[in-house]
Amino acid sequence: MTEQHTYVRGKLTLDGVLARACDARMWAYQSAAVRIGTGGVWLLLLVHEFPRRERMWGPDAPWSWRLAEHSLDQSHAFSVLRWSGGQVWFEVFYLLSAAVAAALLVGWRTRTTSLLFVISVLSLDHRNENVLNAGDTIFRITAIYLAFTRCGEVWSLDARRRERRQDRTGVILWSLWGLVLAWATLAAQLTGGWALLLWGCWVGQAVWRGLRARSDVRRTLELVGHLLHNGAVLMLMIQVCLLYASAGWYKIQGASWQDGTAVYWSAGLDWLEPYPALSHALTSHPLIVLALTYGTVLVQVAFPFSVLDRRAKNVLLALLFAEHIGIGLLLGLPYFSLSMIVADLVFLPTGFLRGVGARVVGLRVRLMAALAVRRATSGRLPTPGAREPADESDAAGQVSPS
């Protein structure tokens, strides 16, 4: 039983299951794609909402600080914005959240930034859960699972950085993180399960850094890391499938979805109509409305079953991408659509993702080469207005004797 996919009487053997569960190469590109998409979309949201940040999450927002505290007490949710209700703390945290999203996007110190990203998403979302049109729920789910993956194995600055004996940057980040945790714990701002989780991650990093590269304990921890990575990606897939299945079956029970008019009524809402001309052009064709209504239900219900067949999954995945793009354009819900598209990236084939990565790298190489040629050419161009000497004797004659 040397192959990973070993079957006995139609079932995978235990060795095959364990080999796949501990495979460090599984879903590396999928997790990297989700990391880039999640970090990029969250950074785009923070930048886009920067002029309105105070009205959405600030201390003087319509959803007042007292309402937010009451909601947090009832739900026992976590938000570091609760540590202080001042304007300075909010501004600092907002800028740090944007920096963390940018670091996650480029894959810088992903083990630390992925955990900080979860804290950023949860803190802003729990401060006011009424502003992101359910896209915040998808961000929360994706960010939590992403923190347990090794999403920086490819397409990241971590992948480009070679292993060093003395990693000063990592030690500094670990030390600063420990100081913040100590302050929050002593000030009674960090308690309960979140305190155990964050302190456990901090201690785990210390143990990992203190182990030798080839020790048996480190090898065991690496296997545990592979299991966590593969399990988190698998759980994200299951979560997305459950989301589509529940959404599709709930739609089947609705009267407007049964008679094929749901898309018509959704596209006709005034407060969800960023492009009225486009919405009216769509809803003026009954057959198109009927096909889109029934097609949406069919695709969402069928997608969880299609993951067992690669071709069917890829076709339905393309239809889901088109559906989310349409929702973002017709209903004015761009962040909800982008959050769903990012979560769906986990189902893309590895070969497709590697091909996209190779094309991006090739494009970057050609662009850098073109810029280098342009700089070299511009450096050899004569100065405007200057006269070039006709020959060597003319050039020598222009030199004044000393």
Side-chain angles (χ1 to χ4, degrees):
M1 292 183 289
T2 59
E3 298 181 358
Q4 288 185 347
H5 303 279
T6 306
Y7 290 86
V8 176
R9 295 181 181 180
K11 295 183 179 180
L12 229 135
T13 63
L14 179 60
D15 290 342
V17 172
L18 293 177
R20 289 186 61 83
C22 298
D23 189 358
R25 299 169 297 177
M26 281 189 63
W27 295 321
Y29 289 91
Q30 286 80 358
S31 60
V34 174
R35 185 203 80 232
I36 294 172
T38 305
V41 173
W42 191 253
L43 178 61
L44 177 64
L45 185 148
L46 294 178
V47 173
H48 181 262
E49 302 299 340
F50 185 80
R52 296 169 290 274
R53 67 191 184 283
E54 295 185 4
R55 288 180 290 170
M56 297 176 65
W57 300 294
D60 299 327
W63 185 258
S64 66
W65 191 249
R66 294 183 61 183
L67 289 174
E69 284 191 326
H70 178 72
S71 177
L72 291 172
D73 290 336
Q74 295 294 322
S75 62
H76 303 285
F78 175 78
S79 177
V80 299
L81 287 176
R82 194 177 185 180
W83 294 359
S84 174
Q87 185 69 25
V88 175
W89 171 238
F90 169 73
E91 297 292 348
V92 170
F93 177 79
Y94 197 91
L95 294 177
L96 288 177
S97 297
V100 168
L104 187 68
L105 171 64
V106 298
W108 183 77
R109 306 289 174 177
T110 51
R111 289 184 180 178
T112 302
T113 54
S114 61
L115 185 60
L116 294 177
F117 184 77
V118 173
I119 296 174
S120 169
V121 172
L122 294 180
S123 298
L124 287 175
D125 180 45
H126 292 156
R127 170 63 181 87
N128 187 356
E129 299 181 352
N130 307 304
V131 293
L132 293 182
N133 294 313
D136 54 337
T137 303
I138 311 302
F139 275 120
R140 285 203 310 264
I141 295 172
T142 306
I144 290 173
Y145 286 125
L146 193 65
F148 292 94
T149 65
R150 291 180 170 175
C151 54
E153 294 296 317
V154 296
W155 297 342
S156 65
L157 295 180
D158 290 348
R160 296 180 59 182
R161 186 181 65 250
R162 297 179 180 179
E163 294 184 0
R164 301 174 181 176
R165 294 182 180 179
Q166 294 181 353
D167 187 4
R168 296 181 179 179
T169 304
V171 173
I172 292 173
L173 286 175
W174 176 79
S175 302
L176 291 176
W177 181 237
L179 292 176
V180 173
L181 289 179
W183 172 83
T185 304
L186 293 176
Q189 300 289 349
L190 185 63
T191 58
W194 278 102
L196 294 176
L197 175 62
L198 296 179
W199 275 112
C201 293
W202 187 81
V203 173
Q205 286 291 322
V207 173
W208 177 263
R209 292 180 181 279
L211 294 175
R212 291 181 300 174
R214 297 183 179 181
S215 63
D216 294 337
V217 177
R218 185 161 183 146
R219 291 177 180 176
T220 303
L221 292 179
E222 286 180 351
L223 289 177
V224 174
H226 299 335
L227 286 171
L228 287 176
H229 166 80
N230 295 331
V233 176
L234 181 61
M235 289 302 299
L236 179 59
M237 292 180 175
I238 295 174
Q239 186 75 54
V240 174
C241 288
L242 291 175
L243 190 151
Y244 281 125
S246 60
W249 287 107
Y250 272 114
K251 285 182 175 64
I252 291 177
Q253 302 175 32
S256 60
W257 291 97
Q258 293 177 3
D259 58 25
T261 61
V263 172
Y264 174 83
W265 297 114
S266 300
L269 296 174
D270 294 336
W271 57 285
L272 290 178
E273 198 176 31
Y275 304 103
L278 182 60
S279 299
H280 295 165
L282 175 66
T283 55
S284 61
H285 297 81
L287 292 179
I288 296 180
V289 172
L290 184 67
L292 290 176
T293 303
Y294 288 155
T296 299
V297 176
L298 179 61
V299 170
Q300 291 184 353
V301 172
F303 180 75
F305 302 99
S306 69
V307 296
L308 301 177
D309 184 86
R310 180 176 300 179
R311 294 182 179 179
K313 180 202 66 176
N314 293 338
V315 172
L316 293 182
L317 197 60
L319 293 177
L320 286 173
F321 286 158
E323 175 189 333
H324 296 313
I325 293 173
I327 291 174
L329 291 176
L330 295 176
L331 301 183
L333 302 174
Y335 295 117
F336 170 76
S337 299
L338 289 174
S339 64
M340 288 302 306
I341 290 175
V342 168
D344 291 342
L345 294 178
V346 74
F347 293 101
L348 288 177
T350 302
F352 175 79
L353 291 173
R354 295 183 66 178
V356 171
R359 289 184 178 88
V360 172
V361 172
L363 180 63
R364 182 177 64 87
V365 171
R366 289 193 295 270
L367 180 61
M368 296 299 294
L371 290 176
V373 170
R374 185 175 181 179
R375 291 175 181 174
T377 305
S378 61
R380 293 195 300 267
L381 290 176
T383 304
R387 184 178 66 86
E388 295 184 0
D391 50 22
E392 295 181 1
S393 61
D394 189 12
Q398 293 179 4
V399 181
S400 300
S402 56

